[in-house]
Amino acid sequence: MEGAAPVHMYCKINIKVTSMAQDRFMALDALALMRHSNASWKLLASDDAAFCCAFFYQEFLAGNVRNLPEARLLMDMRPFLKEKHALAKEPQPEEEALEGEAKQYLRRWSDEEHRWLRRFYRNHMTYYDLTTSGQKAVEWLENLRSRSFIGTESRLHTFFNILHEIEHKANPDKKARLDYLRKQRAEIDEKIRRLREGGEVEVLDEVQIKERFMEAMDIAAGILSDFREVKDKFQGIYNDFRNEVNEWEQGKGALLSQFIADREIIEESEQGKSFSAFFDYLMASSQQEDFDQTMRKILRLKALAGETNRYNPLHVRRAWVDGAEDVQQTIGKLSEQIRWYVNENNLQEKKNIYFQVKEIEKKALAMRGREPKREKEFMWLDEAAPTISLPMERPLRMPPAQMELAQDALTVGEHVGSLEAIFNQVYVDKAVLRAHIEDMLETRQKVTLKEVIVAYPLEKGLFELLAYMEIAKSEACHFTPAKERIFFQGIDGRSRYVTMERIVFEKKEP
């Protein structure tokens, strides 16, 4: 019995330490440190928080835009700077001064101290993208907006549905799975029986529809926010790898092994696997078509007539694809840059530059406290950093070719052939084509272009088919990935066919 007491005491202490470790993130000292080190918190606590967040939201988040060139940001920041000076009751600076001020802001927001923007170079141009820290700060402010409607019932259903899915799909027992599926089939059969016997169809009311739609759009926005965090993780791996290249003393094989191991940590992590599964699911053509059709049907509901959201619901899938492709492109570019870094000549050149910079830093630190006095005029810099000019990086100017005109006198020529082709132009009346489409939609909700052409054959061949496609771009219709072959007779009498994406026209709401 004497030996049991220490064991009991050890267990209690161990549990207490584990609980404290889980709460370390919200501990007072951890939060005090985060207040001065976390980029998102520093943005919200900065004096220019309102100016920064308003600009970031308008440029990047309002339209889900990524990777903007510096020239566009400098131009778009000018009205924000003018409004900022007006609110502070400061005199309005000149246009040239505004551009210089805007450039200073972009440089400051992308430095190591702030890390609200990421600056990079592409095709000899400077680009910026909002970082995860900057996005989190702006979205935190956006969540402070008062909602006109707060629903809880749909989230409760979602909560229980997720729990039931985990309960049944995490159990490998075949008998339990069969019992669950039989129970579901019995419930479905019972619903079918009631409907056949004249029972009423259970439908969602307007409140339930609106609540579930808002929850779906919140999930969609959350997915878009996650893309930047995944991208930043891969970018962080590359930055660490680049620093290791400069200090690496072993062979290139060991260097690549270290990089591959670091990359696999993310790809095999829970977040990496989830992103990979999401990308494969999203890129399936059947899923894209199902999403478009479902979203269009939902948006016709009367309960959602006045709903607005940061993202156009019809463009959510496109925004997902753009965000996922941006992550994939980042991974591909990192691989290209890594191949360049491990090249023998480039590797040695980078090391030489790195060690020269380190040598300068050592000498500068050695001079601390022994700086020359001002009267000796040791050395002065007008700016904090040198201005770099790379004239050889610019393409050489190619003078335009000069046109030489012949001095021969113009004479009257003779025409050979028929002039009928000039006067026999083909005119297609789009109003007639629209009438054909409306006639087909009188008895159905949607109709394909092929069905319209079967009912009203093309009289003017390819010209009429192109006119239908122009109408499709401006009317309530959509293109689907499925291919279909359309046969028609050209104006020359020859039979032809076109293989194209399926175009579906839909009836307009009254």
Side-chain angles (χ1 to χ4, degrees), residues 117-229:
L117 295 178
R118 184 176 67 88
R119 182 176 61 185
F120 59 98
Y121 300 94
R122 180 185 299 172
N123 300 329
H124 307 290
M125 294 179 60
T126 305
Y127 283 79
Y128 290 88
D129 191 18
L130 189 65
T131 63
T132 305
S133 300
Q135 179 171 345
K136 286 182 178 180
V138 178
E139 289 181 340
W140 185 85
L141 290 176
E142 189 181 8
N143 289 332
L144 297 179
R145 179 187 303 175
S146 177
R147 292 187 178 186
S148 58
F149 173 77
I150 300 177
T152 56
E153 188 246 352
S154 67
R155 283 181 288 176
L156 183 63
H157 281 288
T158 303
F159 172 76
F160 280 110
N161 289 336
I162 293 175
L163 290 184
H164 289 313
E165 182 181 10
I166 296 174
E167 175 191 2
H168 297 293
K169 293 189 176 182
N171 187 0
D173 187 3
K174 291 184 179 180
K175 183 179 182 303
R177 180 64 61 87
L178 288 173
D179 292 340
Y180 173 67
L181 294 176
R182 290 191 185 99
K183 180 180 178 182
Q184 282 188 316
R185 185 172 63 182
E187 293 176 354
I188 295 175
D189 291 340
E190 177 63 20
K191 292 179 180 179
I192 294 175
R193 185 189 63 80
R194 290 179 181 176
L195 290 177
R196 286 177 175 175
E197 294 178 355
E200 294 184 358
V201 179
E202 296 181 1
V203 296
L204 300 175
D205 58 28
E206 292 191 1
V207 175
Q208 292 173 324
I209 294 173
K210 185 181 299 185
E211 182 180 351
R212 283 158 174 75
F213 181 77
M214 292 176 62
E215 182 183 4
M217 295 309 297
D218 287 342
I219 295 174
I223 292 174
L224 290 170
S225 302
D226 293 340
F227 285 140
R228 278 197 172 91
E229 187 169 357

Side-chain angles (χ1 to χ4, degrees), residues 159 169 182 200 243 252 276 294 359 434 448 456 469 474 498:
F159 172 76
K169 293 189 176 182
R182 290 191 185 99
E200 294 184 358
N243 295 332
K252 289 190 291 185
S276 178
T294 304
E359 190 65 24
R434 287 191 176 92
T448 64
Y456 299 94
M469 296 180 68
S474 59
V498 174

Side-chain angles (χ1 to χ4, degrees), residues 397-422:
R397 178 180 179 273
M398 296 293 294
Q402 296 182 355
M403 182 181 298
E404 297 183 0
L405 301 178
Q407 299 296 327
D408 299 338
L410 297 177
T411 59
V412 178
E414 295 182 359
H415 169 70
V416 178
S418 174
L419 298 177
E420 293 182 359
I422 298 177

Side-chain angles (χ1 to χ4, degrees), residues 56-74:
F56 293 162
Y57 178 84
Q58 183 65 32
E59 293 298 311
F60 295 99
L61 298 182
N64 187 41
V65 182
R66 305 167 188 268
N67 306 332
L68 293 177
E70 183 181 50
R72 171 178 167 176
L73 293 176
L74 293 176

Side-chain angles (χ1 to χ4, degrees), residues 8-65:
H8 182 68
M9 289 180 62
Y10 174 79
C11 292
K12 290 184 65 178
I13 294 173
N14 188 31
I15 293 174
K16 184 177 181 180
V17 171
T18 303
S19 178
M20 290 180 61
Q22 293 175 350
D23 296 336
R24 285 302 304 163
F25 183 80
M26 294 301 295
L28 176 59
D29 57 344
L31 293 177
L33 179 62
M34 191 188 304
R35 165 66 179 82
H36 300 284
S37 61
N38 184 271
S40 301
W41 200 332
K42 290 166 68 174
L43 171 55
L44 295 173
S46 65
D47 295 335
D48 292 330
F51 168 66
C52 298
C53 292
F55 181 73
F56 293 162
Y57 178 84
Q58 183 65 32
E59 293 298 311
F60 295 99
L61 298 182
N64 187 41
V65 182

Side-chain angles (χ1 to χ4, degrees), residues 296-297 300 437-448 451 476-478 504-510:
R296 290 180 183 276
K297 291 178 181 178
R300 296 194 192 101
I437 298 172
E438 293 175 358
D439 290 342
M440 296 291 292
L441 291 174
E442 285 290 336
T443 57
R444 60 182 74 181
Q445 288 294 119
K446 60 178 63 176
V447 63
T448 64
E451 293 172 339
C477 66
H478 62 276
V504 181
F505 297 94
E506 297 181 354
K507 180 181 293 186
K508 296 181 180 178
E509 293 294 334

